[in-house]
């Protein structure tokens, strides 16, 4: 008996009609067993009395016998199965919030292991057993447990959603394809799902690239912060040495200015890093979702989620974000310039190295005759310009200024740093600086940043003005004879220097350059000969 028990399989105790364990088993004359109720109903419906197993036809309804031994074996099997189910059930975990519960469990709902797309039911380990062993149930399609299995049925025809209408981009049942989507193009859900998986994998790969780019940008910002700190430390060390030697009074203000710049730079960097890390977090979430969905066998869920997942979440275009350490050039200059007259000699010694820093970016500038106003006279070498007061008949040229006596440098700059010097000695009026290439040539626009100009102006011999959007009157201790113009394109900086005094006159900071910049010159009207002298572009002397 023990040996026989070991050879028993569940299939031996399942009725071939209801596919469940026998209830009140009876035997036909051909030797096959059925549930008494199952075979009785079967013969009540069918006129011909035929065995469902071997198809033997009986002339008249056969008598049903009770197989006592087999009935006892069924009872014993039920007990063993219940004991096994009870033991297995005790080892399984109850479904937690967010997990799919077993639809068959009564009382405590255990965690479902699989969902059946045919039965539209989710099963725990115990109740899943028949689908793994019973021949008729093995063909059912199982998948990872999901809720709302009813949503996988066509609400109109109450049939499984098993086709994808490519014409209407929706999931349909077989009847839909015949009735409501006639002549449309259809593919099985699996085929469409595989195609969408490939797209999602491509999207996920793109998101991974976005994540990598943002990680690189974080590294770039951190390196910028390090460079900024190094520059700040060097500048502070230099400042401490200078102010200790000269006067301690200005030390506190100097360090505060440096520290404020550094704090501002770090806050900006921290803000960028925070934004980047947030984008990475959102991208990683989307990447995880894409991986989960693209690996899922749940074709309907994949197709329903595809539209919302195929695109990356909104992010900033970080390629346009340029991180540059703040410029500390001129910090010591501006601080020392506030000292008393008794420090003037020491001040110049201090300022010369600062000027030399910008002079190393000297470029060769020549005047562009095609842009010169008709009343201007340019030297043959393109190095000097003065106002003649006489209008020359020149060819019509869209590049030429016709209202104000302006002329541009031939050279243009769209990146990096550049510096040039102009002699202004003897003149009572002049305008110098840089201008963007697209400035108007035929109108009377004022020379302000909002119109594309970053300039400095001398009027009436001693009235110096920085031509900002709101003009800034400049108080200079002496009239400069030679003016140096320095531009840091990326930093958005335009500075003017008194070359002989090695002093910073004024700086435009926080400028936003998006076009080519040209050196800009205006010698102003000759004022009946009082301002007839030229503006002269001079070579930069690095040995002064």
């Amino acid at each position: 008996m023990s040996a026989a028990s070991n050879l028993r399989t569940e299939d031996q105790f399942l009725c071939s009609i209801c596919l469940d364990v026998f209830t009140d088993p009876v035997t036909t004359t051909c030797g096959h067993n059925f549930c008494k109720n199952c075979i009785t109903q079967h013969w009540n419906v069918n006129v011909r009395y035929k065995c469902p197993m071997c198809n033997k036809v009986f002339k008249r309804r056969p008598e049903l016998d009770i197989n006592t031994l087999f009935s006892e074996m069924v009872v014993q099997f039920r007990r063993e199965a219940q004991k096994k189910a009870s033991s297995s059930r005790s080892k399984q975990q109850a479904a937690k919030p967010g997990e799919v519960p077993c639809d068959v469990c009564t009382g405590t709902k255990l965690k479902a292991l699989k969902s059946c797309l045919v039965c539209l039911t989710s099963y725990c380990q115990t109740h899943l057993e028949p689908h793994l062993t019973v021949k008729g149930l093995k063909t059912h399609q199982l998948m990872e447990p999901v809720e709302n299995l009813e949503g996988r049925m066509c609400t109109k025809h109450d049939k499984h959603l098993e086709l994808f209408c490519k014409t209407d981009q929706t999931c349909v049942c077989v009847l839909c394809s015949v009735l409501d989507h006639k002549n449309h193009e259809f593919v099985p859900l699996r085929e469409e799902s595989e195609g969408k998986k490939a797209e999602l994998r491509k999207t996920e790969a793109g998101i991974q690239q976005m994540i990598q780019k943002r990680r690189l940008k974080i590294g770039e910002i951190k390196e910028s912060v390090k460079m900024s700190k190094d520059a700040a430390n060097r500048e502070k060390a230099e400042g401490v040495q200078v102010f200790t030697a000269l006067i301690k009074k200005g030390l506190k203000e100097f360090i505060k200015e440096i520290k404020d710049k550094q704090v501002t730079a770090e806050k900006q960097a921290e803000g960028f890093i925070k934004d980047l890390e947030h984008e990475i977090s959102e991208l990683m979430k989307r990447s995880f979702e894409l991986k989960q969905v693209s690996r899922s066998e749940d074709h309907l869920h994949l197709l329903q989620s595809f539209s919302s997942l195929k695109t990356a979440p909104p992010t900033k275009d970080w390629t346009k974000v340029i991180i540059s350490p703040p410029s500390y050039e001129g910090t010591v200059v501006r601080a020392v310039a506030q000292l008393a007259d008794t420090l003037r000699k020491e001040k110049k010694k201090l300022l010369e190295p600062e000027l030399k820093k910008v002079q190393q970016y000297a470029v060769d500038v020549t005047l562009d005759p095609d842009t010169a106003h008709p009343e201007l006279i340019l030297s043959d070498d393109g190095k000097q310009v003065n106002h003649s007061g006489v209008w020359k008949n020149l060819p019509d040229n869209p590049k030429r200024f016709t209202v104000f006596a302006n002329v541009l440098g031939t050279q243009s700059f769209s990146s990096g740093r550049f510096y040039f010097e102009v002699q202004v000695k003897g003149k009572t009026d002049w305008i110098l600086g840089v201008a963007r290439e697209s400035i108007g040539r035929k109108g009377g626009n004022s020379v302000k940043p909002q119109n594309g100009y970053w300039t400095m102006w001398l009027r009436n011999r001693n009235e110096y003005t920085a031509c900002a959007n709101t003009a800034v009157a400049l108080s200079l201790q002496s009239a400069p004879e030679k003016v140096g113009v320095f531009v840091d394109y990326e930093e958005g900086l335009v500075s003017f220097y008194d070359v002989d005094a090695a002093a910073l006159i004024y700086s435009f900071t926080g400028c936003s350059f998006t076009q080519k910049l040209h050196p800009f010159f205006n010698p102003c009207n000759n004022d009946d000969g009082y301002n007839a002298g030229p503006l002269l572009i001079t070579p930069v002397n690095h040995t002064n």
Side-chain angles (χ1 to χ4, degrees), residues 425-438:
K425 181 179 179 180
K427 293 191 64 62
T428 61
D429 300 88
W430 49 260
I431 308 174
L432 288 176
V434 293
R436 64 179 175 229
E437 194 168 61
S438 63

Side-chain angles (χ1 to χ4, degrees), residues 333 337 347 351-352 355 496-506:
V333 174
K347 174 185 173 182
L351 298 178
E352 284 178 344
L355 178 61
F496 296 87
Y497 291 87
D498 180 341
V499 176
D500 296 319
L504 176 69
I505 299 174
Y506 183 81

Side-chain angles (χ1 to χ4, degrees), residues 84-94 110 125-126:
K84 180 180 178 182
S86 176
S87 175
S88 174
R89 186 179 181 85
S90 64
K91 296 179 181 179
Q92 297 182 61
Q93 296 179 348
L110 298 183
Q125 181 176 343
T126 300

Side-chain angles (χ1 to χ4, degrees), residues 154 156-157 172-182 186:
C154 175
K156 186 173 183 179
H157 303 113
V172 298
C173 70
V174 174
L175 286 180
C176 285
S177 67
V178 177
L179 301 176
D180 302 326
H181 297 257
K182 191 175 182 180
F186 300 95

Side-chain angles (χ1 to χ4, degrees), residues 139-156:
T139 59
H140 287 194
Q141 185 177 354
L142 298 177
M143 61 176 295
E144 294 302 310
V146 293
E147 295 182 316
N148 189 29
L149 286 166
E150 294 77 7
R152 299 171 183 279
M153 300 291 289
C154 175
T155 56
K156 186 173 183 179

Side-chain angles (χ1 to χ4, degrees), residues 235 254 257-258 261 327-336:
E235 197 73 12
F254 169 78
E257 182 178 354
I258 294 294
K261 281 191 175 184
S327 174
Y328 296 99
E329 293 175 353
T331 306
V332 178
V333 174
R334 289 188 293 273
V336 175

Side-chain angles (χ1 to χ4, degrees), residues 248-308:
K248 294 182 179 179
K249 179 181 177 181
L251 182 57
K252 183 177 180 180
E253 289 77 10
F254 169 78
I255 293 180
K256 182 179 183 301
E257 182 178 354
I258 294 294
K259 186 176 180 180
D260 288 346
K261 281 191 175 184
Q262 177 58 27
V263 168
T264 300
E266 289 187 2
K267 285 183 177 179
Q268 182 192 41
E270 289 172 359
F272 285 148
I273 290 174
K274 184 177 180 181
D275 291 346
L276 284 162
E277 288 177 339
H278 175 73
E279 287 193 11
I280 288 175
S281 176
E282 292 300 312
L283 290 169
M284 291 181 73
K285 288 180 183 178
R286 179 58 58 85
S287 176
F288 177 78
E289 293 173 359
L290 289 168
K291 286 180 179 177
Q292 292 295 105
V293 173
S294 63
R295 294 171 181 170
S296 172
E297 297 300 322
D298 182 0
H299 312 303
L300 178 62
H301 176 63
L302 186 147
L303 294 171
Q304 291 175 337
S305 306
F306 178 78
S307 296
S308 62

